[in-house]
Amino acid sequence: MSGDSVQWNQTSEFRRPQNGKPHFYDKLIVESFEEAPLHVMVFTYMGYGIGTLFGYLRDFLRNWGIEKCNAAVERKEQKDFVPLYQDFENFYTRNLYMRIRDNWNRPICSAPGPLFDVMERVSDDYNWTFRFTGRVIKDVINMGSYNFLGLAAKYDESMRTIKDVLEVYGTGVASTRHEMGTLDKHKELEDLVAKFLNVEAAMVFGMGFATNSMNIPALVGKGCLILSDELNHTSLVLGARLSGATIRIFKHNNTQSLEKLLRDAVIYGQPRTRRAWKKILILVEGVYSMEGSIVHLPQIIALKKKYKAYLYIDEAHSIGAVGPTGRGVTEFFGLDPHEVDVLMGTFTKSFGASGGYIAGRKDLVDYLRVHSHSAVYASSMSPPIAEQIIRSLKLIMGLDGTTQGLQRVQQLAKNTRYFRQRLQEMGFIIYGNKNASVVPLLLYMPGKVAAFARHMLEKKIGVVVVGFPATPLAEARARFCVSAAHTREMLDTVLEALDEMGDLLQLKYSRHKKSARPELYDEMSFELED
């Protein structure tokens, strides 16, 4: 995190000239990581401190039977057993999270489109339990689902092929890829993914999280070194830990920190023996899901080549959502996909489905077909899901004979830039790159997190709020996911509500705001360039 409002990075932006051949040119791309004013941080830590003190007081009252304890406790008959519940480990959940738990796990009863329906629930015991009122809150603006291209929607005639596949193949495969679970639909999908990414081969998996956690251990192991960005997703972290490789962390998107680790790894080798590492694998994300920042890919590729390391990119939040035609961060920077050793992505965000893929050289994919834990032990991807991904890819690639896919990618870029700039003009602190559809708005104080989410739902706007341990303790935030399906009217409704909430809850912390309430906005400034 930089101390100033923005972090300037010399990098490259993709352009497609008239001859159709991609190239890139140098320009400054802005990534904003503005620090909160000192008094905000003081009050944030004071809030957690006061909450902790009251938590210990309430635990004291519970232990003496003055206050009813609703938390899980050990049975008296098992007092001599190893405890199942560590009292202190549940302190945060019991005394803080429980009071604001109504802001998470809200039951949705419709497709996750730009508008969705929420089942109303209330609690009679301070969120320990909930009961449904029978009322459904209709047409809530969905700002939380990562439905970037708007392809997660209720059934229409464009989904006829999915219905046809369901009638022929059924719902499940009932086998692993190694046994009787490889279908012609899987082969068709893998060929299409490889063509979309412009690589030699690809392999698909039934679960996005497991694509990382089950395949990284197949690529590296004992005697290997993993260099991981400090803000990598939990699936990458878990995969790295399961691999048994040595893990070292570099500062977020900091190529100087990464190069120091690479240099030390080459010079000193493994601890004690000083032997050279068998492999050095760099783990990064395309778009970071909690920061909204984009990986500094050109610099990292340069370091990878210089120190003979391998590069693994998780494009869960960038594939389909970044780049002129949605092909991810390699296209965004105008780079050859073959420069990246392992391209990973998920189908849960831009494609309105589930599962993930690994793509790259044919020998890499062939190796994973044999050694991947997911291929050996996990059930194959459901055929209707595979067909939904095929349908989505054909739409994005224009293979359906229309330009609707390209129009969705362009609309997402317009909506993202519009939404981000309006928030900055209002005076909110937001993180990330102007081209990232994940937009974190900093709330900081724990009390404001709950108030923000509840007030927004009252205005029929569904938001996702995030706090510790998914974020640093003092950096609680709301995470907006912009979609191509959002209309300008929807975004303006949300922005108007945010402006009001910002004044009500005193959330406009930025010291670099341009104007509190912009009256006019030049839409043309956000048109994509040809």
Side-chain angles (χ1 to χ4, degrees):
M1 302 295 172
S2 62
D4 201 357
S5 169
V6 292
Q7 187 181 52
W8 298 88
N9 301 297
Q10 185 72 29
T11 184
S12 308
E13 183 163 306
F14 179 94
R15 291 298 172 99
R16 189 179 298 276
Q18 292 182 351
N19 62 12
K21 295 180 179 179
H23 68 273
F24 57 93
Y25 70 95
D26 291 333
K27 73 174 290 186
L28 289 173
I29 288 184
V30 180
E31 286 188 343
S32 177
F33 292 101
E34 182 179 349
E35 287 187 349
L38 179 60
H39 74 277
V40 174
M41 301 307 293
V42 170
F43 283 121
T44 299
Y45 282 111
M46 282 181 60
Y48 279 106
I50 294 170
T52 300
L53 289 175
F54 274 92
Y56 279 116
L57 174 62
R58 297 191 67 194
D59 277 355
F60 174 81
L61 297 176
R62 293 184 187 116
N63 289 336
W64 286 90
I66 300 173
E67 178 181 333
K68 181 182 178 182
C69 180
N70 293 305
V73 295
E74 299 290 346
R75 296 174 58 190
K76 292 181 179 179
E77 296 85 350
Q78 295 178 317
K79 62 180 181 179
D80 296 326
F81 285 66
V82 176
L84 290 173
Y85 308 105
Q86 298 295 331
D87 187 64
F88 181 75
E89 291 179 2
N90 294 320
F91 178 87
Y92 178 86
T93 302
R94 189 169 58 247
N95 293 297
L96 181 57
Y97 169 72
M98 198 58 63
R99 300 303 296 267
I100 59 177
R101 190 164 72 105
D102 57 299
N103 297 296
W104 290 275
N105 307 312
R106 286 174 174 153
I108 310 301
C109 54
S110 68
L115 300 174
F116 61 10
D117 300 335
V118 181
M119 297 175 67
E120 185 181 63
R121 60 181 183 176
V122 295
S123 176
D124 301 315
D125 53 5
Y126 303 102
N127 294 339
W128 287 97
T129 61
F130 293 99
R131 60 179 174 84
F132 293 108
T133 65
R135 174 174 172 254
V136 174
I137 306 173
K138 293 280 189 178
D139 296 330
V140 177
I141 299 178
N142 182 4
M143 294 301 297
S145 299
Y146 29 69
N147 183 19
F148 294 134
L149 296 182
L151 294 175
K154 59 185 179 181
Y155 182 81
D156 58 39
E157 276 304 307
S158 68
M159 301 179 187
R160 165 62 68 175
T161 57
I162 302 172
K163 185 177 180 181
D164 294 340
V165 166
L166 180 63
E167 292 176 348
V168 174
Y169 293 86
T171 57
V173 180
S175 186
T176 68
R177 291 293 298 268
H178 270 206
E179 294 168 343
M180 302 183 71
T182 297
L183 306 180
D184 55 349
K185 277 294 168 186
H186 297 144
K187 175 63 176 171
E188 179 185 355
L189 173 57
E190 289 172 346
D191 291 343
L192 196 58
V193 169
K195 182 178 179 181
F196 177 65
L197 298 174
N198 192 27
V199 294
E200 295 177 7
M203 183 176 181
V204 299
F205 304 89
M207 181 181 179
F209 189 99
T211 304
N212 278 330
S213 60
M214 293 291 98
N215 284 300
I216 293 174
L219 297 174
V220 290
K222 188 177 181 180
C224 299
L225 175 65
I226 291 176
L227 302 180
S228 179
D229 189 291
E230 65 179 345
L231 296 182
N232 273 340
H233 189 263
T234 304
S235 59
L236 290 169
V237 174
L238 179 60
R241 290 175 177 173
L242 291 175
S243 72
T246 300
I247 305 169
R248 291 175 184 164
I249 309 300
F250 63 91
K251 295 185 182 299
H252 175 55
N253 252 346
N254 189 315
T255 51
Q256 290 79 16
S257 174
L258 174 59
E259 183 167 19
K260 183 180 185 303
L261 292 177
L262 283 166
R263 188 187 303 114
D264 289 348
V266 171
I267 293 173
Y268 300 112
Q270 299 183 43
R272 294 189 298 276
T273 65
R274 299 305 180 191
R275 292 178 180 175
W277 295 100
K278 294 178 181 178
K279 296 177 190 172
I280 300 176
L281 181 65
I282 303 169
L283 294 183
V284 295
E285 294 186 47
V287 171
Y288 288 84
S289 59
M290 286 297 167
E291 311 303 310
S293 53
I294 295 180
V295 63
H296 298 172
L297 189 58
Q299 297 93 323
I300 291 179
I301 287 179
L303 289 177
K304 169 196 98 99
K305 291 179 177 179
K306 180 178 179 181
Y307 293 97
K308 305 297 187 292
Y310 295 96
L311 178 59
Y312 183 115
I313 294 185
D314 177 349
E315 291 220 65
H317 289 84
S318 54
I319 195 66
V322 170
T325 62
R327 285 171 167 81
V329 290
T330 54
E331 184 187 45
F332 177 78
F333 289 109
L335 298 169
D336 186 346
H338 296 89
E339 302 276 13
V340 180
D341 300 289
V342 186
L343 286 164
M344 176 271 172
T346 63
F347 301 119
T348 53
K349 279 76 176 175
S350 297
F351 302 93
S354 63
Y357 66 83
I358 295 284
R361 292 168 56 93
K362 185 177 184 301
D363 54 359
L364 164 74
V365 175
D366 288 343
Y367 175 85
L368 287 177
R369 291 190 194 282
V370 176
H371 295 91
S372 169
H373 300 294
S374 187
V376 176
Y377 301 111
S379 180
S380 300
M381 179 182 288
S382 169
I385 293 295
E387 179 59 30
Q388 162 64 12
I389 303 166
I390 291 170
R391 166 184 167 269
S392 300
L393 281 169
K394 287 181 177 179
L395 180 74
I396 297 169
M397 298 167 72
L399 298 180
D400 63 338
T402 72
T403 60
Q404 291 183 19
L406 180 61
Q407 290 172 7
R408 286 175 184 262
V409 174
Q410 292 175 340
Q411 187 62 48
L412 175 63
K414 287 172 61 177
N415 286 352
T416 296
R417 297 185 184 186
Y418 174 73
F419 191 70
R420 277 184 169 273
Q421 179 150 331
R422 284 292 305 274
L423 288 177
Q424 286 180 326
E425 290 173 346
M426 289 177 184
F428 294 102
I429 293 180
I430 61 172
Y431 278 177
N433 191 289
K434 66 179 181 180
N435 298 289
S437 303
V438 176
V439 186
L441 186 152
L442 275 293
L443 304 174
Y444 298 105
M445 302 180 194
K448 292 186 178 183
V449 171
F452 179 84
R454 290 166 182 163
H455 280 300
M456 292 298 282
L457 186 59
E458 289 174 1
K459 295 179 177 294
K460 298 184 73 172
I461 299 170
V463 300
V464 171
V465 287
V466 189
F468 180 81
T471 69
L473 183 66
E475 292 186 15
R477 65 197 65 177
R479 186 186 74 166
F480 300 104
C481 290
V482 182
S483 172
H486 287 136
T487 65
R488 182 57 57 88
E489 292 73 25
M490 291 178 187
L491 294 178
D492 285 339
T493 299
V494 173
L495 288 164
E496 183 180 348
L498 287 172
D499 197 9
E500 183 180 335
M501 284 298 102
D503 293 334
L504 176 66
L505 300 177
Q506 297 293 303
L507 298 173
K508 297 178 179 180
Y509 302 122
S510 177
R511 290 160 289 184
H512 301 271
K513 55 189 176 184
K514 296 178 181 179
S515 61
R517 297 173 185 269
E519 296 179 1
L520 298 175
Y521 186 82
D522 182 10
E523 180 180 352
M524 295 302 294
S525 65
F526 291 95
E527 293 288 346
L528 289 180
E529 299 172 358
D530 295 328

